[in-house]
Amino acid sequence: MRARPLTLGQRLTLAAPYLWIAAFFLAPMLLIAKISLSHSVLARPPYEPRFLPTDSLSDWWAKAQTLTFDNYRALVSDSLYFDAYVSSLAIAGVATLVTLVVAYPFALAMARSPRAWRPFLIGLAAAPFWTSFLIRVYAWIALLKDEGLINNALMALGLIDAPIQMFATNGAVVVGIVYSYLPFMLLPIYAALEGQDAGLREAAADLGASPVDVFLRVTLPLSREGVIAGALLVFIPAVGEFVIPDLLGGSDTLMIGRILWNDFFANHDWPAASAAAIALVTILLVPLVLWERARLHEGQERR
Amino acid sequence: MSPASNLVRRAVLAAGFVFLYAPIVILAVMSFNASRLVSVWGGFSTKWYAALLENELLIQSARISFAAAALSASIATLLGLLAAVSLSRFGSFRSRLLFFGAVHAPLVLPEVVLGLALLSCFVALGVGRGFTTLVIGHVTLTMCFTTVALLAALRGCDPTLEEAAMDLGATPARAFALVALPQIMPALASAFLLAFTISLDDFVIASFATGPGATTLPMRIYSQVRLGVSPQINAISTLLLGLVAIALGLSALAMRRAKR
Amino acid sequence: MSAPLLSVQGATKAFGATVALDDVSLHVGAGEFFALLGPSGCGKTTLMRCIAGFETPDSGRLTLRGEDLAGVPPHKRPVNMMFQSYALFPHLDVFENVAFGLRRKGEAKEAIEARVGELLEMTQLAPFGARRINELSGGQRQRVALARALAPRPALLLLDEPLGALDRKLREETQFQLKEIQRKTQTSFVIVTHDQDEALALADRIAVMRAGRVEQIAPPLDLYENPATRFVAGFVGETNFVEGVVARRDGPVLQTSFARLPRATCALPEGARATLSIRPERIEVARDGAGIPGRVEDFVFRGEYTLLRVRVSPEIVLRVGAYDGRYQIGDEVKLTIGPEAGVLFAEEA
């Protein structure tokens, strides 16, 4: 496609969102990229150097000399950061898998329900998404605590003698993520399954495939796009999650969102936090780019 | 479908909906518990709701949250509409890819990173944080959602209708206003509601973007929740859940009526 | 005919208040090309889905090679189906689509490759084995669907509107291919179609269905020449319906509003109301001489003949096939309907 010049009216239409995005998204992102190369000082803002419009060009040059990659080196050498990245990826990965295992049969059951029921069912499944995320996470505290409802119920049934510790564990964080992000997995898988031509399953059965074969050879492979989209929609925000590990996790639950938060608010180490943020974004871009490339590749193959 | 697989299907549906709704329902029931303890039912009581009415701080922050949500959702819907029009109707202009990427990026960006970036920017510019910065933060967060929703709606519109209007003598802008806009009215409404809900719900961006004078409801709830389960929080949560339930019910009714 | 391969006895099926199959009985012989013909909603698709195992008849019996099919799931029936939408697997290439049924049977790798190769050859798809389904043209997809359904060597092949999605020219070409493949493979084909030309061109025998019932089962020529009901006469081929009253005094005659039409044979009693179905090409047309006078109102050039619309009375227009002569609008003509031509039906109650 060739770019073409816009008319004045089009320019004016585009200007407002473009300027907003530039001022409040692109510029701030560039700023933290720059802060990530600075070093921490006790001041406000708590980093050096600062490039001021009143500086001369030579001042800027001198200041640019002091920029450093030390903060990025620290990300790798400091075990706190490194462990937090690994554990964030692990927790998000496990949570994504569990979400998939919960969401797939649920989505399948909805997609196979009578057509007239489907809008109602999908609406009912998506409705919690409209309610407060914070409240939904909070609801689990009352369930998971030592003196919470699940432990009480299990003890009342005589299944356990003493409460199992569920609250303030990594497991609780996984449960919280699964619960909060279920709609993000559910909807794309449902869309993929609902759009499938029932004739394909009949054709497979007609050609001798047992119901299990039909699922493994037709239904599952044809829902791949939905599964991948759902997994990304859960995994990516889960890696950077702050609220869930902070509320449901233990003091030893390491997640990068939490470390960032503490560095920023408690330690006032903005350069370190910025470097961690930039690194996080880079890590999360990898699966997205791979996915996009795979889609492009497939698209070309089909042409 | 065989009766056996039908039974399995229903069981899966039941289990799924229990998982989705049980925690919320239990929370709502507990808000009427006279006892302060989670595990003991001390009889039915509305005293926690009465206590809410006297909690000036909570009421104040609720006001701030609703005001910020209404204002930021309006701005985000307008900006989202302009962005969606640009992306769907202007062909491939220069720097479209940058614009497209930047508009969609906050969708996948961890909220903590966006909050951090905004706060750094406000501090670097020497802007005092408060209600205004809160709204700016929420517009930036929600405008990607409104853009995506409106872009999908605009792409779903039949372009020949607008072409027909232009063929009959309307300028492109008038053709858009007279033909496409009425078609995407439902999408505009749902984009606004989505932005409103996200803003009302947001805790992370608000924590970075707002200042001492403008503490939002989620921030107030959060600081109490960190101290453990509190019946008053159950009560305000139930109120918010009820509000959403009513809104969803009304919109479902409206949609059914519109279909007829 | 030898012992029937497929036998349907008294099959009945209702969906709620709609009766899709009403006491349907028919037999399909080994190696036969059989067609189920009827307008949409006549139950032909339901019958086919019952044979494939996707629907269960409410009552009646289906047997294949003498074995009752009740309770046998689709994947265990030696019956394959070519779907109207083709239902080709988009995530598999052409080769794997054709091999799908063979793999489910657990056949050896070499056997599968040989069989798939053979079928791709037969359907002229040999160079396309590695293609994805969405890289194929409509005609190619149609042939993949056929090859896939034939691959597991079914005892019976069901074809649901197999040519419906093809354009006219391709359809004719494909008809010949389909017949040739059926002869080569010696498989029984049951084709479902609403297109009478297709049924007449392909099938050894045709069952015409209407509102869940079988109206007539006959070879194409019999169906055309001797339709059993007025519906069959109207549905298969082009025809004129002429209404009148039977008079028998001086040999049987159909007295119509515009002419007396003598009949060679007539089983109906004196005074019975009846309808004559007469094909356009069975009405003779001449410029002059004896016959029913009429005036050419309109004509359509059809290549080998010209179809005339001839008004014979203020209310009645007959369609007439003229094989020679040029006619203009307004020409006066004389029509002759021979006593042997056409079929007489009693007025339906």
Side-chain angles (χ1 to χ4, degrees), chain B residues 164-184:
Chain B
M166 282 188 257
D167 183 58
L168 295 168
T171 63
R174 276 193 78 80
F176 179 82
L178 292 173
V179 177
L181 210 53
Q183 283 188 77
I184 61 161

mmCIF file of all heavy atoms in Angstrom, chain B residues 164-184:
data_model
loop_
_atom_site.group_PDB
_atom_site.id
_atom_site.type_symbol
_atom_site.label_atom_id
_atom_site.label_comp_id
_atom_site.label_asym_id
_atom_site.label_seq_id
_atom_site.Cartn_x
_atom_site.Cartn_y
_atom_site.Cartn_z
ATOM 1 N N ALA B 164 -23.187 5.544 -1.255
ATOM 2 C CA ALA B 164 -24.477 5.941 -1.819
ATOM 3 C C ALA B 164 -24.829 7.366 -1.398
ATOM 4 O O ALA B 164 -25.280 8.172 -2.205
ATOM 5 C CB ALA B 164 -25.562 4.971 -1.371
ATOM 6 N N ALA B 165 -24.576 7.681 -0.103
ATOM 7 C CA ALA B 165 -24.869 9.024 0.393
ATOM 8 C C ALA B 165 -24.030 10.065 -0.340
ATOM 9 O O ALA B 165 -24.509 11.136 -0.719
ATOM 10 C CB ALA B 165 -24.621 9.092 1.891
ATOM 11 N N MET B 166 -22.741 9.725 -0.570
ATOM 12 C CA MET B 166 -21.867 10.675 -1.271
ATOM 13 C C MET B 166 -22.295 10.822 -2.718
ATOM 14 O O MET B 166 -22.267 11.898 -3.286
ATOM 15 C CB MET B 166 -20.419 10.202 -1.191
ATOM 16 C CG MET B 166 -19.788 10.486 0.162
ATOM 17 S SD MET B 166 -18.027 10.147 0.164
ATOM 18 C CE MET B 166 -17.978 8.602 1.008
ATOM 19 N N ASP B 167 -22.743 9.701 -3.297
ATOM 20 C CA ASP B 167 -23.221 9.719 -4.667
ATOM 21 C C ASP B 167 -24.432 10.644 -4.779
ATOM 22 O O ASP B 167 -24.642 11.292 -5.802
ATOM 23 C CB ASP B 167 -23.600 8.297 -5.079
ATOM 24 C CG ASP B 167 -24.046 8.224 -6.521
ATOM 25 O OD1 ASP B 167 -23.237 8.612 -7.374
ATOM 26 O OD2 ASP B 167 -25.183 7.813 -6.773
ATOM 27 N N LEU B 168 -25.213 10.710 -3.699
ATOM 28 C CA LEU B 168 -26.402 11.563 -3.690
ATOM 29 C C LEU B 168 -26.063 12.985 -3.277
ATOM 30 O O LEU B 168 -26.957 13.788 -3.021
ATOM 31 C CB LEU B 168 -27.462 10.971 -2.761
ATOM 32 C CG LEU B 168 -28.018 9.623 -3.226
ATOM 33 C CD1 LEU B 168 -28.837 8.962 -2.139
ATOM 34 C CD2 LEU B 168 -28.856 9.801 -4.489
ATOM 35 N N GLY B 169 -24.770 13.279 -3.135
ATOM 36 C CA GLY B 169 -24.379 14.669 -2.950
ATOM 37 C C GLY B 169 -23.883 15.051 -1.572
ATOM 38 O O GLY B 169 -23.637 16.226 -1.310
ATOM 39 N N ALA B 170 -23.737 14.082 -0.646
ATOM 40 C CA ALA B 170 -23.245 14.424 0.680
ATOM 41 C C ALA B 170 -21.723 14.476 0.676
ATOM 42 O O ALA B 170 -21.074 13.724 -0.042
ATOM 43 C CB ALA B 170 -23.732 13.393 1.695
ATOM 44 N N THR B 171 -21.155 15.385 1.454
ATOM 45 C CA THR B 171 -19.690 15.398 1.607
ATOM 46 C C THR B 171 -19.313 14.184 2.440
ATOM 47 O O THR B 171 -20.152 13.619 3.140
ATOM 48 C CB THR B 171 -19.239 16.666 2.346
ATOM 49 O OG1 THR B 171 -19.812 16.625 3.661
ATOM 50 C CG2 THR B 171 -19.681 17.919 1.636
ATOM 51 N N PRO B 172 -18.030 13.749 2.392
ATOM 52 C CA PRO B 172 -17.636 12.578 3.178
ATOM 53 C C PRO B 172 -17.995 12.729 4.660
ATOM 54 O O PRO B 172 -18.498 11.787 5.276
ATOM 55 C CB PRO B 172 -16.122 12.527 2.986
ATOM 56 C CG PRO B 172 -15.890 13.163 1.663
ATOM 57 C CD PRO B 172 -16.943 14.228 1.525
ATOM 58 N N ALA B 173 -17.783 13.927 5.203
ATOM 59 C CA ALA B 173 -18.076 14.137 6.623
ATOM 60 C C ALA B 173 -19.571 14.003 6.893
ATOM 61 O O ALA B 173 -19.995 13.357 7.852
ATOM 62 C CB ALA B 173 -17.587 15.504 7.069
ATOM 63 N N ARG B 174 -20.393 14.586 6.003
ATOM 64 C CA ARG B 174 -21.843 14.497 6.197
ATOM 65 C C ARG B 174 -22.326 13.064 6.002
ATOM 66 O O ARG B 174 -23.197 12.590 6.713
ATOM 67 C CB ARG B 174 -22.576 15.406 5.211
ATOM 68 C CG ARG B 174 -22.672 16.844 5.680
ATOM 69 C CD ARG B 174 -23.677 17.617 4.833
ATOM 70 N NE ARG B 174 -25.046 17.330 5.211
ATOM 71 C CZ ARG B 174 -25.657 17.893 6.264
ATOM 72 N NH1 ARG B 174 -24.985 18.739 7.009
ATOM 73 N NH2 ARG B 174 -26.894 17.610 6.548
ATOM 74 N N ALA B 175 -21.741 12.402 4.998
ATOM 75 C CA ALA B 175 -22.120 11.014 4.753
ATOM 76 C C ALA B 175 -21.835 10.178 5.996
ATOM 77 O O ALA B 175 -22.657 9.358 6.418
ATOM 78 C CB ALA B 175 -21.342 10.447 3.562
ATOM 79 N N PHE B 176 -20.695 10.437 6.630
ATOM 80 C CA PHE B 176 -20.350 9.698 7.839
ATOM 81 C C PHE B 176 -21.359 9.985 8.949
ATOM 82 O O PHE B 176 -21.893 9.078 9.578
ATOM 83 C CB PHE B 176 -18.941 10.068 8.294
ATOM 84 C CG PHE B 176 -18.546 9.343 9.541
ATOM 85 C CD1 PHE B 176 -18.077 8.051 9.492
ATOM 86 C CD2 PHE B 176 -18.671 9.957 10.780
ATOM 87 C CE1 PHE B 176 -17.746 7.369 10.639
ATOM 88 C CE2 PHE B 176 -18.342 9.280 11.932
ATOM 89 C CZ PHE B 176 -17.876 7.989 11.863
ATOM 90 N N ALA B 177 -21.638 11.284 9.128
ATOM 91 C CA ALA B 177 -22.518 11.679 10.230
ATOM 92 C C ALA B 177 -23.937 11.163 10.011
ATOM 93 O O ALA B 177 -24.615 10.779 10.953
ATOM 94 C CB ALA B 177 -22.521 13.192 10.371
ATOM 95 N N LEU B 178 -24.396 11.147 8.761
ATOM 96 C CA LEU B 178 -25.785 10.787 8.489
ATOM 97 C C LEU B 178 -25.996 9.295 8.327
ATOM 98 O O LEU B 178 -27.090 8.788 8.557
ATOM 99 C CB LEU B 178 -26.260 11.492 7.206
ATOM 100 C CG LEU B 178 -26.387 13.006 7.306
ATOM 101 C CD1 LEU B 178 -26.690 13.603 5.945
ATOM 102 C CD2 LEU B 178 -27.477 13.388 8.299
ATOM 103 N N VAL B 179 -24.944 8.581 7.916
ATOM 104 C CA VAL B 179 -25.131 7.165 7.597
ATOM 105 C C VAL B 179 -24.413 6.243 8.576
ATOM 106 O O VAL B 179 -25.030 5.357 9.166
ATOM 107 C CB VAL B 179 -24.666 6.874 6.148
ATOM 108 C CG1 VAL B 179 -24.790 5.398 5.839
ATOM 109 C CG2 VAL B 179 -25.478 7.704 5.167
ATOM 110 N N ALA B 180 -23.105 6.464 8.761
ATOM 111 C CA ALA B 180 -22.350 5.525 9.597
ATOM 112 C C ALA B 180 -22.632 5.736 11.076
ATOM 113 O O ALA B 180 -22.820 4.789 11.833
ATOM 114 C CB ALA B 180 -20.852 5.663 9.314
ATOM 115 N N LEU B 181 -22.697 6.989 11.476
ATOM 116 C CA LEU B 181 -22.853 7.288 12.905
ATOM 117 C C LEU B 181 -24.115 6.653 13.515
ATOM 118 O O LEU B 181 -24.028 6.021 14.570
ATOM 119 C CB LEU B 181 -22.830 8.807 13.107
ATOM 120 C CG LEU B 181 -22.272 9.299 14.445
ATOM 121 C CD1 LEU B 181 -20.909 8.716 14.728
ATOM 122 C CD2 LEU B 181 -22.216 10.820 14.473
ATOM 123 N N PRO B 182 -25.281 6.805 12.849
ATOM 124 C CA PRO B 182 -26.458 6.156 13.426
ATOM 125 C C PRO B 182 -26.288 4.637 13.552
ATOM 126 O O PRO B 182 -26.774 4.027 14.487
ATOM 127 C CB PRO B 182 -27.572 6.483 12.426
ATOM 128 C CG PRO B 182 -27.096 7.684 11.707
ATOM 129 C CD PRO B 182 -25.610 7.607 11.665
ATOM 130 N N GLN B 183 -25.547 4.056 12.599
ATOM 131 C CA GLN B 183 -25.362 2.602 12.640
ATOM 132 C C GLN B 183 -24.518 2.168 13.828
ATOM 133 O O GLN B 183 -24.693 1.067 14.349
ATOM 134 C CB GLN B 183 -24.672 2.129 11.361
ATOM 135 C CG GLN B 183 -25.567 2.071 10.164
ATOM 136 C CD GLN B 183 -24.844 1.413 9.013
ATOM 137 O OE1 GLN B 183 -24.689 0.218 8.963
ATOM 138 N NE2 GLN B 183 -24.371 2.219 8.085
ATOM 139 N N ILE B 184 -23.541 3.012 14.230
ATOM 140 C CA ILE B 184 -22.652 2.579 15.303
ATOM 141 C C ILE B 184 -23.072 3.137 16.658
ATOM 142 O O ILE B 184 -22.320 3.046 17.629
ATOM 143 C CB ILE B 184 -21.181 2.935 15.009
ATOM 144 C CG1 ILE B 184 -21.009 4.448 14.879
ATOM 145 C CG2 ILE B 184 -20.666 2.230 13.769
ATOM 146 C CD1 ILE B 184 -19.562 4.859 15.052
#
